[in-house]
Amino acid sequence: MENTHVENTSVETGKESKPKPPCPHEKLVYDSEHGEYVCLETGEVVEEKIIDERPEWRAFTPEERGRRARTGGPLTTTVHDMGFATAIDYSNKDAAGRKLMGKRQELIKLRKWQARTRILTSMDRNLAQAMNELERLGDLLNLPSHVKEEAARIYREAVEKGLVRGRSIESVIAAAVYVACRELKVPRSLDEVSRHTRIGRKDIARCYRLLLRELDIKVGTTDPVDYVPRIVHALGLPGTVVKRAVELLNVAREHGVTGGKDPAGLAAAAVYVAALEVGEKRTQKEVAHVAGVTEVTVRNRYKELAKIFGLDANAV
DNA sequence: AAGACGAAAGTGGTTGA
DNA sequence: TCAACAACTTTCGTCTT
């Protein structure tokens, strides 16, 4: 990674060097597998520790309870009532610990209403269940929290428009997750999403299209570039490979060979070539495996890339 | 022996009548 | 709704390292 800096600056010094920041981080790509942002200019990992905004739900023992650093629920849309919930407990004390003076009857009545209104409408009930499912699915897919938030927002909107009626919560949630991934450029394939649900890819795809249409959401076609960091990382390759692979993909796009092709396959081939170039060879099979395509597809894309760049075995 | 390459047949999804 | 179609996969054989 460091060499890249050196390379860059030494090239740039041609035009009278003012000390630029080593990496402006203008083009960042999210490596969702590891919760990192990777800079396309330098391949540098920008931020590794994404803050975990999830609540600290669990405290099984009194000691654990004491150790919980944060208080209060997170104010997020992934909690069905936005995190606003008041509980009237059974100690008959108010928040300051003073005894509540009202008649017992009154308190009992209050509690009853509280229980009744906490999950007020069927919509709230639906959302509560959906958020549960979203949390589960999000964990299995290693989704960063902002994606889950977006999925939650989409789902909420879907419910409000009555799109869930007649469909299973699970399938709409899965579709919402998929939409959020596409929107936020966190590459997850339809297959990956469906693998963790009981819903087939077909149903999810149908719901996905429905959401796009009904909620008027636009998602760009998947950019192969988005897959690159994930593949590179999975292969344990240096960040320079990311940079090079992205360059290759951009040139390839200009030559118009990327249309209609599986983006994962394209990314895989680019990574394969880039790895070869930096002398960190990986087999086609390895690359294909982590990219979720077959060896043959990698090969075909590779052939097309090779034609453009006129590279035979050499060419560094 | 393992990887790279290519041909041929099969599969799931999209498109256009 | 059906057929044509393109892209991808599976399978298998051959060549190279």
Side-chain angles (χ1 to χ4, degrees), chain A residues 11 16 26 125 154-155 189 202 210 219-220 260 264:
Chain A
V11 170
E16 206 44 64
E26 264 161 26
R125 250 195 315 274
I154 292 167
Y155 184 83
S189 71
K202 241 181 156 176
L210 180 88
V219 294

Side-chain angles (χ1 to χ4, degrees), chain A residues 7 14 22 75 105 113 119 137 142 175 192 194 203 242 257 308:
Chain A
E7 249 176 50
L75 220 53
Q105 293 288 350
W113 273 106
I119 295 180
L137 191 53
N142 277 326
E192 282 175 290
S194 74
D203 284 312
V242 175
V257 292
I308 293 173

Side-chain angles (χ1 to χ4, degrees), chain A residues 138-156:
Chain A
D139 276 355
L140 287 171
L141 290 169
N142 277 326
L143 294 180
S145 53
H146 70 279
V147 175
K148 286 191 264 186
E149 297 285 321
E150 176 62 8
R153 194 191 60 72
I154 292 167
Y155 184 83
R156 188 176 279 271

Side-chain angles (χ1 to χ4, degrees), chain A residues 13-29:
Chain A
T13 39
K15 57 161 197 174
E16 206 44 64
S17 66
K18 56 182 173 194
K20 273 180 158 179
C23 173
H25 303 317
E26 264 161 26
K27 190 89 201 282
L28 290 180
V29 166

Side-chain angles (χ1 to χ4, degrees), chain A residues 47-62:
Chain A
E47 186 179 355
E48 302 197 37
K49 298 277 193 308
I50 306 294
I51 295 169
D52 182 5
E53 294 167 7
R54 286 176 306 176
E56 297 177 289
W57 293 117
R58 296 178 308 171
F60 297 116
T61 65

